[in-house]
Amino acid sequence: MLNSLSNSLGMTTDPDLKGLAPTFQTAISTILDTESQPIKDAQAAKDALAIRKGMYTDIKTSLDTLQASMKALISTDDTFLLKPTPKMTVTPGVTGATVLSATMGTSASYADYNITVNHLAKAQTRVSIPFISPEIALGKSGLIWLGGDGSTQTATVAPADPNVAAAGVSAVATGQRELGTGAYSVQIRDLNGVKQFRMVNADGQTVSVASTAGDNTFTTNWQSVSAASSTYNTGRGMTFDLNSNAAPGSTAVNYVAKGVSVSINATDTMRTIVNAINAASQPEGREMKASIIGNQLVFAAASTGLNHTMIYTDGTSNGGLGFTNTDLQAAADADLTVNGLHLTRSSNNNLTDVADGVTLSLAADSENKSALLSVAADNAKSAGGVQNFVKNFNATFKYLTDKMASTSKVDPTTNKTTYTRGGLAGDDVFRTLRSKMLSTMSARADNAGSFKRLSDIGISFDKNLVMTVDNTKLQDALTNHASDLSALLDTVMGKFNTTLSSFTGGTGSLQRNLSSMDTQTKNFTQRMTSYQKTLDSRKKSLINEYLTMQSELANLGSQAQSYGFNIDQSY
């Protein structure tokens, strides 16, 4: 009967209070609301702390970003950006032509190169007489020697040189290719009192030779000269006697390769001969490739240039493979004129010794055409570093200004003015920081250079205290007064870095404050949890107390009605 009486009066949404009369529900809710004030206070404090932590996090992020962009302007910092980088342009002399392409290293010299390509390098090719079909056996047998004649193998020093007393020949090490016939040089240098040597081919490329470490490896690196004069074996067919007292210099050594043989049988076709030639491990630099075009064998040097003409001996029967000494295409070096200087190179591509620090490749359309190659200083990256600092400075300065300001708003209905204080209003620490930001960037900075203020290089403040950049002044300073610019920025940014460092990073005051806020937030949460447990216990006690009271009143009949109970008349 009590449940039916209670339900007829309308219950609260709190399920814990189900079964209690509205009067009692209200009483309990009022008591609990009053006693929950410590939780509300703690939550309000926690919310306010979260807002402040958000501002401190924003400021730390902003200052960390600002400091990083500022350090990039200090010459002693690893992230220093104010270093001109080479910028390369290629301007063909004929519209629509390519002439050449180029890539550039960071060490490229600033210069202009007027390049004329007189003719391109070409690879030697020869063609045989026609045969009936690539599939028919040619009925020829014997040996074809590639890169040599199979009998002659010599190495000579010419002219005589004290660094290399003599040169000789040896077997080629397993897994290596023989050196190709040609001119080589043994170069000697003195590196901090240690004599070293290496071998270079006629194209100026370092040759891979046996390591003096005796570990069966090969290297293109400089190697130490033995303390005692000895014979050095390249492992690639050549030996030479190195003088332990060799002086820095270069010794010419001419080498004639023995070559490698390809065995031809009477049952071989044009195709099997081509495949055998192309599979052979030919002497380096004198490689040739075979192909079939129009039922004719074609031999072509694998590389362009006079240093890479084909050397082969056709020892097959029945008149051989039908080659003559007439070239289908004669070998030729690339012929260039660079700023009036005549140069020849064996290749058209990857020319690293024409323009300093630049790798050139000649285009197919370049013969009898010219192009201007310019390598100049590019300050775009440096100017970008300054602009990035200015952007970050303005963002940080505006954030501090906005958060420390008080704003007003007029109610149009009442004409009353309401003032709202910024989240950092009255915070002397950030007011001082903002002031130092202005004063440091505006003050005179004595240094060894000619610039004494940032305004001298185009960095100043407008009437709204926004930092701006005069690009004309900045570019002039970067291009013509780099050392003076660096001296000024080292001084100004060095001082500013000291100011920011007390706030930034993992040990700065902002991080310490954020860590403290995390601790306070945790304490508020723990306090609220404790308060809630006490309140929950209090709630249970009140419910039991009022349930007992309600039960007693229900038994009092008419007296219970005065407390809002609807007593069933049939009761």
Side-chain angles (χ1 to χ4, degrees), residues 24-325:
F24 292 162
Q25 291 179 8
T26 301
I28 292 175
S29 296
T30 301
I31 293 171
L32 293 178
D33 184 64
T34 300
E35 294 183 2
S36 68
Q37 191 60 44
I39 297 178
K40 297 176 184 177
D41 293 342
Q43 184 63 58
K46 183 180 177 181
D47 291 344
L49 186 62
I51 293 173
R52 192 164 186 82
K53 180 185 176 183
M55 288 189 292
Y56 271 58
T57 300
D58 289 343
I59 293 172
K60 183 179 184 303
T61 299
S62 185
L63 289 180
D64 284 346
T65 302
L66 174 59
Q67 187 174 39
S69 62
M70 174 204 62
K71 285 184 175 180
L73 307 183
I74 300 175
S75 64
T76 55
D77 195 86
D78 292 339
T79 62
F80 184 57
L81 285 177
L82 302 189
K83 296 175 285 190
T85 55
K87 179 182 180 181
M88 183 180 63
T89 58
V90 176
T91 307
V94 177
T95 303
T98 302
V99 183
L100 59 87
S101 60
T103 58
M104 176 184 57
T106 56
S107 61
S109 300
Y110 301 149
D112 291 335
Y113 304 91
N114 287 291
I115 302 174
T116 299
V117 182
N118 302 313
H119 60 75
L120 291 168
K122 293 179 173 60
Q124 181 189 23
T125 58
R126 287 181 177 176
V127 62
S128 74
I129 60 173
F131 292 96
I132 297 174
S133 168
E135 300 174 345
I136 297 176
L138 299 184
K140 300 178 182 293
S141 60
L143 296 178
I144 298 175
W145 280 90
L146 307 176
D149 61 11
S151 60
T152 305
Q153 182 186 12
T154 63
T156 56
V157 177
D161 190 283
N163 282 350
V164 179
V169 298
S170 67
V172 178
T174 302
Q176 295 297 313
R177 286 194 295 155
E178 185 181 13
L179 296 172
T181 295
Y184 295 85
S185 60
V186 178
Q187 299 179 342
I188 306 293
R189 74 173 182 180
D190 189 312
L191 181 66
N192 300 322
V194 177
K195 291 184 175 63
Q196 297 179 323
F197 76 96
R198 67 177 182 179
M199 195 163 74
V200 176
N201 63 22
D203 292 333
Q205 299 168 332
T206 307
V207 178
S208 177
V209 292
S211 170
T212 55
D215 55 3
N216 296 320
T217 61
F218 284 70
T219 181
T220 58
N221 295 330
W222 289 91
Q223 303 190 79
S224 296
V225 176
S226 175
S229 298
S230 60
T231 298
Y232 170 75
N233 190 341
T234 64
R236 302 189 62 187
M238 181 198 297
T239 66
F240 49 84
D241 298 339
L242 270 177
N243 185 346
S244 61
N245 296 317
S250 180
T251 301
V253 181
N254 293 317
Y255 180 71
V256 176
K258 178 181 179 180
V260 61
S261 64
V262 174
S263 180
I264 305 298
N265 299 313
T267 57
D268 280 326
T269 66
M270 294 172 69
R271 286 177 181 162
T272 57
I273 292 171
V274 164
N275 290 336
I277 290 173
N278 292 340
S281 182
Q282 303 176 43
E284 185 177 85
R286 296 288 183 171
E287 302 94 329
M288 51 182 273
K289 296 295 182 183
S291 61
I292 303 169
I293 301 176
N295 291 333
Q296 292 174 281
L297 288 170
V298 177
F299 286 173
S303 302
T304 58
L306 298 175
N307 291 329
H308 304 288
T309 54
M310 295 181 290
I311 299 175
Y312 63 92
T313 302
D314 181 1
T316 58
S317 61
N318 300 324
L321 298 177
F323 284 91
T324 69
N325 291 328

Side-chain angles (χ1 to χ4, degrees), residues 176-495:
Q176 295 297 313
R177 286 194 295 155
E178 185 181 13
L179 296 172
T181 295
Y184 295 85
S185 60
V186 178
Q187 299 179 342
I188 306 293
R189 74 173 182 180
D190 189 312
L191 181 66
N192 300 322
V194 177
K195 291 184 175 63
Q196 297 179 323
F197 76 96
R198 67 177 182 179
M199 195 163 74
V200 176
N201 63 22
D203 292 333
Q205 299 168 332
T206 307
V207 178
S208 177
V209 292
S211 170
T212 55
D215 55 3
N216 296 320
T217 61
F218 284 70
T219 181
T220 58
N221 295 330
W222 289 91
Q223 303 190 79
S224 296
V225 176
S226 175
S229 298
S230 60
T231 298
Y232 170 75
N233 190 341
T234 64
R236 302 189 62 187
M238 181 198 297
T239 66
F240 49 84
D241 298 339
L242 270 177
N243 185 346
S244 61
N245 296 317
S250 180
T251 301
V253 181
N254 293 317
Y255 180 71
V256 176
K258 178 181 179 180
V260 61
S261 64
V262 174
S263 180
I264 305 298
N265 299 313
T267 57
D268 280 326
T269 66
M270 294 172 69
R271 286 177 181 162
T272 57
I273 292 171
V274 164
N275 290 336
I277 290 173
N278 292 340
S281 182
Q282 303 176 43
E284 185 177 85
R286 296 288 183 171
E287 302 94 329
M288 51 182 273
K289 296 295 182 183
S291 61
I292 303 169
I293 301 176
N295 291 333
Q296 292 174 281
L297 288 170
V298 177
F299 286 173
S303 302
T304 58
L306 298 175
N307 291 329
H308 304 288
T309 54
M310 295 181 290
I311 299 175
Y312 63 92
T313 302
D314 181 1
T316 58
S317 61
N318 300 324
L321 298 177
F323 284 91
T324 69
N325 291 328
T326 302
D327 292 332
L328 179 64
Q329 176 175 276
D333 287 337
D335 189 287
L336 312 172
T337 302
V338 182
N339 290 353
L341 180 65
H342 180 249
L343 301 174
T344 59
R345 296 294 183 267
S346 64
S347 175
N348 298 316
N349 301 313
N350 300 319
L351 306 179
T352 59
D353 59 351
V354 173
D356 181 50
V358 176
T359 300
L360 296 178
S361 290
L362 308 180
D365 67 354
S366 63
E367 286 196 335
N368 299 313
K369 293 185 179 69
S370 299
L372 173 64
L373 171 68
S374 294
V375 181
D378 182 13
N379 289 315
K381 189 175 181 180
S382 299
V386 174
Q387 293 284 4
N388 189 46
F389 167 76
V390 170
K391 179 193 72 173
N392 293 331
F393 182 95
N394 285 332
T396 302
F397 192 81
K398 183 178 186 302
Y399 187 89
L400 291 174
T401 300
D402 291 346
K403 293 302 179 183
M404 289 190 292
S406 293
T407 58
S408 61
K409 182 178 180 181
V410 178
D411 189 327
T413 304
T414 63
N415 204 33
K416 282 188 175 182
T417 302
T418 303
Y419 294 92
T420 303
R421 286 166 56 86
L424 298 177
D427 193 319
D428 290 337
V429 172
F430 292 115
R431 178 176 285 105
T432 300
L433 172 60
R434 180 177 175 276
S435 176
K436 283 187 176 181
M437 290 175 69
L438 275 178
S439 61
T440 303
M441 295 297 114
S442 304
R444 176 185 172 87
D446 291 326
N447 62 85
S450 61
F451 300 133
K452 303 302 179 184
R453 296 179 183 274
L454 290 181
S455 57
D456 294 339
I457 61 171
I459 302 174
S460 59
F461 291 95
D462 65 14
K463 63 181 181 180
N464 297 316
L465 298 182
V466 175
M467 183 178 281
T468 63
V469 179
D470 182 331
N471 287 316
T472 301
K473 274 190 173 183
L474 178 61
Q475 285 296 335
D476 178 68
L478 286 168
T479 304
N480 302 314
H481 310 282
S483 60
D484 293 330
L485 171 73
S486 186
L488 173 66
L489 292 178
D490 282 352
T491 301
V492 175
M493 300 305 166
K495 181 178 181 182

